[in-house]
Amino acid sequence: MNCRIIYLVLIVSLTLTSCKKTEVGTKKDMRIAFMADVHLHDIYSTFLDTDYKGIRNPSTGKYNTIRTMEAQLHSTRLFNENYFAFIAALEDAVKKGIKLIALPGDFSDDGQPMNVRALRKILDEYATKYGVTFLIITGNHDPVRPFDQEAGKKDFLGESGQSQAIMSEQDLFKVNGLDPIITQDIKTWGYSGVLNELSDFGFFPQEKFLYWETPFSNYNYDDYNLNKALSISKLSQREYPISENLMVPDASYLVEPQEGLWLLALDANVYVPTKSANSVSQNPKNYKGASIGYNNVLTHKKHIIQWVGKVAKEAQKREKLLVAFSHYPMVEFNDGASELTKTVFGDHKMQLHRVPKGDVARVFADIGVKLHFGGHMHINDTGIHKTEKGNVLINVQTPSLAAYPAAYKILTVQSNDILEVETVPIVSVPNFKELFPLYEMEHDYLAKSKDVHIWSQEILNSRNYREYVTWHLKEVVRLRFLPEDWPQELKEQFLNVSGKELLVSAVMDRDTLKLQKKLIKEGMEMIDFQAWNGNDFVFDFHRLHNGDHLALNDIGAKRIQQYKILLDVLSQAENSAMKNLARDFSKIFQKHFEGAPSDHFLINLKNGEVEVIKNN
């Protein structure tokens, strides 16, 4: 080979090396999956301190420790089939070549040892087999209280379809029917048990991390090494005063898993002390639950705010892409309709107590947080908050895998300023029908017991997981939301009437000719509104509230067009107590059609704009 050829080969090699460095330097096509609210429950659990194996499944011969269908259909989440959905989501992510997966809280169903161990086993398998790095942060279901607590559930499925109580100590609560099963594996772990079992997934420093710190670290980026990080990472060194006498752990951490990417995992659990609290920090009865999130962070966890501000400044200084994630939303998630929702449903309905105040978004935006991924609400949404100082915080709500619309998010980093977010629905889930024979047995038992609030057996006809979670939401609306949240006046007006009757009653004494012209212009007739009824109207409101843009195809363009006409008529209703309620509800419904893109979109962190990507 002559010198000229050698020289050309060397130049090409150096050019390719230079291009590769440039690509890594801009973090192009770095991808992170966010899977929120997995609520993993070990349906194959074997208890360490009892011989109880659960109930035998006649279709598989396996024993299952599962909750009843009745319990699932009164809850905003599934307890059982989400086990299969989580596996399906992980399989989908690794097929896409994703090596970094974040779990923004509620990764377990109440932090029981049986469930946390099962989660660790699954994560270990995918970490070993596919080289996936998992980074997780705590939610209000893991841990339920900051320290271990005796606990249990009354509604496991037992012999002959009856409910079976399983609890951590005898006489924890009163049960009827089958004798309770007693096991320590059903207690709820506090921080120590949860974090130590899941120590390999971000909560503690690892050699493979380029950087790792907590709000309590005493080193900086320039003098970082693993030994320093390990020396300050013990949970006993990561506590803060929640009151004058009580100290509780904080699981927050910052990690650089890949060059140039800073993931900020925020533990926004705040366990406010009860009025009867004593001075024993480890007593779980001293604390309330942590479901409120950032509203309480502003008042009880101010050290987090100071630390986040410091981290944001360092990220900007060092040209790191900072992406925050936590269990709770930082921005209002009802498309700006929260105040109207209070007017219609009441302050404590529709999970309104979980809506973050405007101060939350303002504070975090002004200290430098631009992008945050949250969970908790089991909804799909994108919230954008612009402050008076001109800062913008974009909050991406990741849906739960245990509820409609059942999806996860993929963040693709195109540059430090341009990011792509794709929402991946989980539609086909292998084995999701595996437990159905047991539910058939439960339904037979309830039918023989003449239970008047029996769940609909039609859910067992679901052809795929997407249909199944849709049916789950439909039954939760019927069995829980309508009885507990909906005003009687609206139920009387909307339910059990056709869409045509709803439209006619809404227009009443007003200009019907104007309506007829509008229908003709839209290519519709009054008879088209006969295809659905008020029950469908109410269900689709909840479907849109949960799924946002993911629900549009499920509802269908024609139905949406008809809804918009009805909502437009209702929004112009004449003054009266009844009409005002319907008018305000219509405005809430309309706002859910007008939210920021939440399916597939681009984020420009430089100007805070979100632009929809139209899928082919």
Side-chain angles (χ1 to χ4, degrees):
M1 184 180 291
N2 62 39
C3 292
R4 185 178 179 187
I5 294 174
I6 294 173
Y7 176 76
L8 288 173
V9 170
L10 181 61
I11 291 294
V12 170
S13 176
L14 288 172
T15 302
L16 290 173
T17 303
S18 174
C19 290
K20 185 177 181 181
K21 284 183 178 178
T22 301
E23 185 175 64
V24 172
T26 58
K27 297 175 285 297
K28 184 174 175 58
D29 292 333
M30 184 186 296
R31 292 187 296 168
I32 311 121
F34 290 86
M35 299 181 185
D37 297 274
V38 172
H39 287 285
L40 187 78
H41 167 78
D42 188 3
I43 62 173
Y44 304 113
S45 181
T46 53
F47 302 120
L48 300 183
D49 54 2
T50 178
D51 293 333
Y52 181 73
K53 296 187 292 186
I55 186 168
R56 186 179 182 277
N57 188 330
S59 68
T60 65
K62 299 176 184 177
Y63 284 85
N64 295 117
T65 308
I66 63 173
R67 308 279 288 281
T68 63
M69 178 63 82
E70 183 176 27
Q72 295 198 122
L73 298 184
H74 282 82
S75 171
T76 55
R77 67 187 188 275
L78 292 166
F79 299 117
N80 304 325
E81 281 66 35
N82 42 309
Y83 182 97
F84 302 117
F86 183 42
I87 301 297
L90 292 174
E91 286 292 318
D92 186 73
V94 297
K95 283 178 184 175
K96 289 179 167 67
I98 292 172
K99 299 293 186 181
L100 189 55
I101 299 178
L103 306 183
D106 282 6
F107 42 77
S108 71
D109 197 62
D110 288 345
Q112 303 97 333
M114 57 181 270
N115 295 329
V116 179
R117 287 197 304 264
L119 179 69
R120 180 185 55 76
K121 183 178 178 182
I122 292 170
L123 299 189
D124 278 343
E125 178 184 345
Y126 280 83
T128 302
K129 190 174 181 181
Y130 300 104
V132 175
T133 294
F134 290 96
L135 298 170
I136 64 183
I137 194 63
T138 47
N140 59 301
H141 283 273
D142 38 36
V144 175
R145 294 294 186 276
F147 303 99
D148 291 8
Q149 178 176 253
E150 301 300 332
K153 305 286 183 185
K154 296 181 180 180
D155 50 22
F156 282 87
L157 187 60
E159 183 182 342
S160 303
Q162 301 175 70
S163 289
Q164 171 68 65
I166 302 179
M167 61 183 80
S168 61
E169 64 177 25
Q170 193 75 39
D171 301 325
L172 187 64
F173 47 76
K174 185 178 180 181
V175 296
N176 296 316
L178 300 174
D179 291 337
I181 305 301
I182 309 302
T183 173
Q184 282 293 294
D185 281 339
I186 199 68
K187 73 188 296 183
T188 59
W189 264 343
Y191 277 97
S192 179
V194 171
L195 268 62
N196 286 329
E197 187 72 22
L198 302 173
S199 59
D200 292 338
F201 310 117
F203 288 126
F204 297 96
Q206 296 180 45
E207 188 173 356
K208 67 180 178 180
F209 296 155
L210 300 176
Y211 184 67
W212 186 94
E213 74 168 48
T214 78
F216 311 94
S217 298
N218 56 6
Y219 50 81
N220 58 45
Y221 195 77
D222 292 322
D223 65 5
Y224 174 78
N225 63 57
L226 181 60
N227 288 334
K228 284 183 180 180
L230 287 169
S231 70
I232 199 72
S233 67
K234 293 178 182 177
L235 204 54
S236 60
Q237 296 171 288
R238 296 159 67 181
E239 295 183 334
Y240 71 100
I242 190 68
S243 70
E244 186 177 348
N245 300 314
L246 300 174
M247 300 288 291
V248 296
D250 178 351
S252 302
Y253 62 91
L254 169 70
V255 63
E256 185 173 6
Q258 299 178 30
E259 177 67 38
L261 173 66
W262 277 15
L263 281 174
L264 184 59
L266 297 175
D267 175 11
N269 284 347
V270 180
Y271 303 92
V272 177
T274 61
K275 291 181 180 179
S276 59
N278 57 37
S279 59
V280 180
S281 290
Q282 290 75 21
N283 182 357
K285 294 180 181 178
N286 283 338
Y287 309 95
K288 298 178 183 178
S291 67
I292 301 300
Y294 282 101
N295 290 340
N296 284 342
V297 168
L298 294 185
T299 56
H300 289 78
K301 219 169 183 178
K302 293 181 181 179
H303 71 277
I304 285 285
I305 300 168
Q306 295 171 355
W307 176 61
V308 171
K310 174 176 145 300
V311 167
K313 285 180 182 177
E314 280 294 301
Q316 185 175 20
K317 170 185 169 184
R318 300 178 184 280
E319 298 184 341
K320 306 290 185 181
L321 172 62
L322 181 65
V323 178
F325 73 100
S326 71
H327 185 54
Y328 304 92
M330 282 187 175
V331 177
E332 191 263 1
F333 46 77
N334 287 321
D335 297 318
S338 290
E339 290 305 313
L340 262 179
T341 305
K342 288 180 184 179
T343 302
V344 173
F345 293 94
D347 290 355
H348 302 290
K349 304 294 184 180
M350 300 289 288
Q351 302 195 73
L352 287 168
H353 64 292
R354 294 179 167 181
V355 176
K357 298 174 182 176
D359 282 350
V360 170
R362 176 186 59 77
V363 165
F364 281 96
D366 285 344
I367 62 175
V369 178
K370 296 182 179 180
L371 177 61
H372 173 263
F373 283 77
H376 190 45
M377 301 311 303
H378 299 186
I379 66 172
N380 179 54
D381 183 68
T382 304
I384 304 170
H385 186 93
K386 296 183 179 181
T387 73
E388 292 181 359
K389 293 181 179 180
N391 298 308
V392 181
L393 169 59
I394 297 166
N395 182 85
V396 179
Q397 278 303 111
T398 307
S400 171
L401 292 172
Y404 179 88
Y408 73 96
K409 302 273 185 180
I410 299 174
L411 174 67
T412 300
V413 180
Q414 298 186 4
S415 73
N416 267 15
D417 294 322
I418 305 299
L419 309 172
E420 177 185 350
V421 177
E422 180 185 4
T423 312
V424 183
I426 300 301
V427 178
S428 298
V429 171
N431 305 319
F432 88 98
K433 288 189 172 187
E434 183 176 304
L435 306 174
F436 282 20
L438 296 174
Y439 299 140
E440 294 277 9
M441 180 177 66
E442 177 193 344
H443 195 275
D444 289 345
Y445 174 79
L446 293 173
K448 290 174 184 175
S449 304
K450 298 187 174 24
D451 190 317
V452 294
H453 301 297
I454 192 169
W455 48 269
S456 173
Q457 207 168 7
E458 286 188 67
I459 191 172
L460 302 182
N461 295 328
S462 300
R463 293 168 296 180
N464 56 48
Y465 190 69
R466 185 59 174 262
E467 283 189 12
Y468 185 64
V469 292
T470 301
W471 258 107
H472 172 256
L473 178 61
K474 196 169 191 175
E475 284 293 86
V476 172
V477 170
R478 180 176 73 91
L479 297 171
R480 176 173 167 177
F481 292 156
L482 279 170
E484 295 180 9
D485 286 356
W486 275 73
Q488 187 61 32
E489 301 94 316
L490 282 185
K491 288 191 284 188
E492 290 175 358
Q493 184 173 355
F494 290 157
L495 300 182
N496 304 315
V497 294
S498 70
K500 179 181 177 181
E501 289 171 311
L502 271 176
L503 187 61
V504 169
S505 65
V507 76
M508 289 281 288
D509 300 326
R510 296 167 55 217
D511 193 346
T512 54
L513 182 59
K514 186 177 178 180
L515 174 63
Q516 288 289 352
K517 288 180 179 179
K518 184 176 180 65
L519 291 175
I520 292 170
K521 184 179 178 180
E522 298 289 343
M524 286 186 288
E525 299 180 21
M526 193 75 79
I527 191 68
D528 294 332
F529 289 72
Q530 284 288 120
W532 49 272
N533 59 36
N535 302 65
D536 299 318
F537 181 64
V538 167
F539 169 59
D540 283 337
F541 165 74
H542 282 278
R543 189 151 52 164
L544 187 63
H545 176 265
N546 277 33
D548 205 65
H549 288 81
L550 291 184
L552 297 180
N553 285 337
D554 293 340
I555 298 172
K558 186 174 181 181
R559 179 78 60 86
I560 289 171
Q561 188 182 21
Q562 293 167 4
Y563 284 166
K564 286 183 175 180
I565 290 173
L566 173 60
L567 293 170
D568 183 55
V569 173
L570 287 170
S571 69
Q572 300 174 49
E574 298 170 359
N575 285 331
S576 73
M578 181 76 161
K579 297 292 185 182
N580 288 351
L581 201 62
R583 183 181 62 212
D584 288 342
F585 171 77
S586 71
K587 292 177 181 177
I588 297 168
F589 206 147
Q590 287 171 322
K591 280 182 177 291
H592 285 320
F593 285 119
E594 300 164 0
S598 63
D599 182 1
H600 194 184
F601 52 95
L602 278 181
I603 295 174
N604 187 325
L605 289 182
K606 187 169 282 189
N607 59 24
E609 292 183 357
V610 177
E611 179 184 344
V612 68
I613 297 175
K614 293 184 179 179
N615 298 321
N616 295 328

